[in-house]
Amino acid sequence: MTKADGAISQISQSGIFDPEILCGPCDEKLGLLEEKAAQLLTTVRNQAKGLHEGAIVKLPQRDDDLLRFYAALLWKYSVTRPEFGRVDLGKFQEPLRAVSFGSETIPEFLDVALFRLRLDLDDTGVFAYRAPSPDRKHGINLYRILVGGVLALVKIDRRPWADRLTSELGLRGRGEVRVAVAAAKEFEEFKMAQKLAHTKPKISTFLDKQDNVALNT
């Protein structure tokens, strides 16, 4: 199902991707998860417009596809080359692969808490993307992923969330998606993007174009 050798990176609008990880049918299957996630995250951005910080956007969830989407993102980064941002999932790699392709129920260790990082009250755009980055929150092992204007804290830990907010936002076992609206400037993802925008002219130009697209859509 995967191609272990000969990976080639390409530049996309959202960064670097590795087209040699998956065979065609597998790429198409995961692509369906990505399309559904993109539609949902667009809805989140639109519904968060005008809401105060701390508000919760709630959307119905009929299946586990959003959890599987984040599982697939992590798994793909675990099988790419180190120079493409590979992460080491250890014993969780194979369970996440199975979850990604829908052959397993959602394991106890996997959950996701979502935050809509907003630049201002009327923001419906996407200011940056961030590949999976390992982190710990109150001793719980997780990965931070920023995609579609929404920060995901992906818990890879059998222990439950250790704080009230992430516990209330967790997707696992819910009949709805809950996303907390938050000020982007308070998060490291925004601070990193801001620093890059001031030090890398090409990135700054790209972010300016993204802002213009958001304003005209």
Side-chain angles (χ1 to χ4, degrees):
M1 297 176 72
T2 63
K3 298 182 179 181
D5 300 317
I8 302 173
S9 68
Q10 296 181 16
I11 302 299
S12 71
Q13 283 191 329
S14 57
I16 299 175
F17 71 96
D18 182 347
E20 297 298 319
I21 293 174
L22 300 168
C23 64
C26 296
D27 188 43
E28 182 177 353
K29 189 167 187 177
L30 296 189
L32 294 176
L33 291 177
E34 293 167 0
E35 289 177 11
K36 293 181 70 173
Q39 293 172 0
L40 187 143
L41 296 179
T42 297
T43 302
V44 168
R45 296 196 303 273
N46 290 334
Q47 292 202 8
K49 181 179 179 180
L51 297 181
H52 61 82
E53 293 170 12
I56 306 294
V57 174
K58 296 181 180 181
L59 299 172
Q61 178 180 235
R62 302 177 194 76
D63 50 42
D64 294 321
D65 280 356
L66 194 57
L67 277 167
R68 295 185 191 279
F69 163 72
Y70 286 109
L73 266 181
L74 274 179
W75 176 75
K76 286 196 290 185
Y77 270 93
S78 77
V79 295
T80 191
R81 290 182 177 183
E83 59 266 32
F84 298 163
R86 185 170 71 196
V87 296
D88 182 6
L89 296 176
K91 62 183 179 181
F92 297 110
Q93 183 183 47
E94 176 54 27
L96 286 177
R97 184 204 63 79
V99 168
S100 302
F101 290 99
S103 59
E104 296 289 339
T105 57
I106 305 300
E108 291 184 5
F109 67 78
L110 177 63
D111 202 356
V112 178
L114 299 174
F115 298 82
R116 163 55 179 154
L117 303 191
R118 194 178 57 187
L119 298 178
D120 55 58
L121 195 65
D122 294 322
D123 179 22
T124 59
V126 178
F127 67 83
Y129 291 81
R130 186 182 189 184
S133 176
D135 198 1
R136 288 173 67 87
K137 184 175 177 63
H138 302 300
I140 300 299
N141 297 306
L142 54 86
Y143 283 86
R144 304 173 73 99
I145 303 174
L146 180 62
V147 63
V150 175
L151 171 66
L153 302 183
V154 185
K155 181 170 72 71
I156 306 296
D157 199 308
R158 290 185 172 85
R159 295 168 294 178
W161 294 105
D163 67 279
R164 180 178 177 180
L165 179 57
T166 49
S167 295
E168 292 179 351
L169 295 176
L171 292 176
R172 178 183 164 81
R174 291 197 191 280
E176 63 182 4
V177 175
R178 299 180 179 181
V179 186
V181 179
K185 65 182 180 180
E186 303 297 329
F187 288 77
E188 63 183 72
E189 282 73 17
F190 173 74
K191 295 173 184 176
M192 292 167 60
Q194 186 179 49
K195 182 178 180 180
L196 285 171
H198 284 91
T199 58
K200 303 289 185 181
K202 289 184 179 180
I203 294 177
S204 180
T205 300
F206 167 68
L207 293 176
D208 288 342
K209 288 181 180 179
Q210 293 299 98
D211 286 342
N212 289 333
V213 169
L215 288 171
N216 294 311
T217 56

